[in-house]
Amino acid sequence: MRERATNAPDVSCAASGASGASGVDAASAEGAAERGAGGPGLVLRTPEGRPYRFDPGALCLELLTTGGPGPLARYEVLDTPAGLRDWVAASRLDPGLRLDVRDGDLAAAREVRDALHGLASRRAHGRDPDPADVAVLNACAARPPLAVRMTSDGTREWVPGTGTVTGLLSTVARDAIDLFTGAYARRIRECGAHDCHLLFVDTSRPGRRRWCAMERCGNRHKVRAHRARTGPEGDPMPASGTTGLTKDAGWEIGVSKTLPLPADAVWDFIASPEGVALWLGVVDGLPTEKGARYETADGVTGEVRSHRPGDRIRVTYGGTTIQVAVSATGPGKTVLRFHQEHLADAGERERRRTHWKAVMERVAGELRT
């Protein structure tokens, strides 16, 4: 099995021939059956070998499970024709595609995959795309895609013969362009687990997907949360009985307001340099990468814990944690929430309540102008 990287996604990303490495069940009959029975997505395996289904929501994002740049290179499976064919068989492409892999095709596939990884990762963290990655994507999409046809009985099939890797990559690149320029462009996200960096597009109606898979990272979060709520023997911890004091977050305060504006407009202001300067005090804009450091005009330091475009920003602030969240509640209506936890005492909680109410009014005033 390939060596695992400390900061790489906590999954094995593809089958590894006869070595028995865990990963995508692609070419085997078992893998095909799992795909058909379990709906869209790929069957991945944990380091312990347990299978789970990961649906990234788009064909182009499925390609990102085959490895990638930097530390993801040790998960590489697009280094053999079999690895590429296995991915094709496991993907959401129509079954039965016969792929002709020639010299140079694997390098081209890796180049497109790495460019897609850069574009999706930057989009997930609210950053502008790298022009070099855009150029790779556009050049690939300009070539003829894989050809399909309709049969006499009304079903869809690949044109008989073998498909080219150039056509495959063009099909993937066109899918990516549709994604990055379409209605779900703001919903490309990274798994919320601190040790998982799988990327997906949230196509759910409420738009609140947080995990790569509930049966994997979602369940791990639930277990940790349960342990935090219970004592050493699993017994519930007694409630504090004090308003604003919780076991997990200590003293905390939250304020919210419904604004007569669409969620995109509220988010665009909150995430802008002007908005960040208003609610956080950072004058040069806030970095979006997880773990990035920042400093306010008053000298308070912290780091970015999460930055989910169109959804929320969560940062440490001194010894506390601040979160701002945006959620649509109806046509032209949005709830804006500020929340701060791990405050020192009840006195600080009241001071921060006054602070956040004033911030909310200033934000509302700016959005009205």
Side-chain angles (χ1 to χ4, degrees):
M1 182 177 295
R2 289 179 172 85
E3 178 186 1
R4 298 200 55 80
T6 303
N7 296 321
D10 194 14
V11 295
S12 294
C13 296
S16 184
S19 65
S22 59
V24 175
D25 290 326
S28 67
E30 176 187 5
E34 286 182 335
R35 180 181 62 176
L42 305 170
V43 177
L44 305 184
R45 294 186 182 274
T46 70
E48 300 77 27
R50 294 190 299 273
Y52 68 97
R53 186 172 295 278
F54 167 55
D55 180 12
L59 171 66
C60 60
L61 299 184
E62 286 185 337
L63 186 60
L64 305 188
T65 64
T66 61
L72 297 178
R74 63 186 63 188
Y75 298 95
E76 187 61 68
V77 297
L78 299 185
D79 48 4
T80 66
L84 180 57
R85 292 191 181 103
D86 283 351
W87 175 79
V88 167
S91 74
R92 66 188 62 211
L93 287 166
D94 293 335
L97 175 65
R98 296 173 56 199
L99 195 64
D100 181 21
V101 184
R102 301 185 178 184
D103 292 343
D105 285 344
L106 295 175
R110 293 192 295 269
E111 180 185 28
V112 173
R113 191 264 324 274
D114 292 356
L116 285 173
H117 193 283
L119 290 167
S121 180
R122 294 177 74 90
R123 173 71 74 172
H125 294 286
R127 299 162 60 195
D128 292 334
D130 186 328
D133 291 337
V134 173
V136 170
L137 188 69
N138 286 338
C140 188
R143 301 184 180 104
L146 293 171
V148 295
R149 69 178 187 178
M150 187 172 72
T151 64
S152 58
D153 61 0
T155 59
R156 170 187 168 115
E157 70 175 11
W158 300 109
V159 170
T162 56
T164 65
V165 173
T166 298
L168 169 68
L169 296 179
S170 177
T171 299
V172 171
R174 293 176 184 216
D175 179 76
I177 291 174
D178 287 343
L179 173 61
F180 294 140
T181 63
Y184 291 101
R186 286 183 174 271
R187 288 200 184 182
I188 299 174
R189 296 172 184 164
E190 184 180 83
C191 179
H194 73 281
D195 57 351
C196 179
H197 305 294
L198 286 172
L199 294 158
F200 59 86
V201 55
D202 181 4
T203 58
S204 66
R205 179 171 295 180
R208 296 177 181 175
R209 179 177 170 185
R210 183 178 178 186
W211 313 108
C212 60
M214 278 304 302
E215 60 184 303
R216 173 57 176 161
C217 290
N219 280 345
R220 291 196 297 162
H221 172 76
K222 287 183 178 181
V223 169
R224 286 192 294 267
H226 173 73
R227 289 173 178 169
R229 290 192 302 268
T230 59
E233 302 302 324
D235 297 325
M237 296 293 288
S240 66
T242 304
T243 301
L245 178 61
T246 66
K247 173 185 176 295
D248 294 337
W251 290 98
E252 60 180 358
I253 185 62
V255 299
S256 63
K257 188 178 184 68
T258 300
L259 302 170
L261 292 165
D264 285 354
V266 177
W267 173 261
D268 287 345
F269 176 74
I270 287 299
S272 71
E274 296 79 10
V276 170
L278 194 158
W279 64 267
L280 189 59
V282 177
V283 296
D284 296 325
L286 187 69
T288 58
E289 299 88 348
K290 184 188 296 185
R293 302 289 298 177
Y294 73 87
E295 183 174 353
T296 71
D298 296 330
V300 179
T301 60
E303 71 174 38
V304 177
R305 289 290 177 84
S306 65
H307 187 286
R308 301 176 181 277
D311 182 19
R312 67 191 61 206
I313 300 172
R314 186 173 177 85
V315 300
T316 61
Y317 179 87
T320 71
T321 302
I322 294 174
Q323 178 171 283
V324 56
V326 173
S327 58
T329 59
K333 291 185 178 181
T334 302
V335 174
L336 175 63
R337 297 181 177 87
F338 291 104
H339 185 265
Q340 189 170 9
E341 58 192 27
H342 302 301
L343 300 171
D345 50 36
E348 185 180 10
R349 178 177 184 271
E350 290 307 307
R351 290 190 293 273
R352 299 308 287 179
R353 179 205 297 272
T354 301
H355 167 78
W356 288 117
K357 284 185 175 181
V359 167
M360 185 68 79
E361 291 306 314
R362 291 170 62 193
V363 169
E366 290 291 331
L367 288 169
R368 282 194 295 267
T369 59

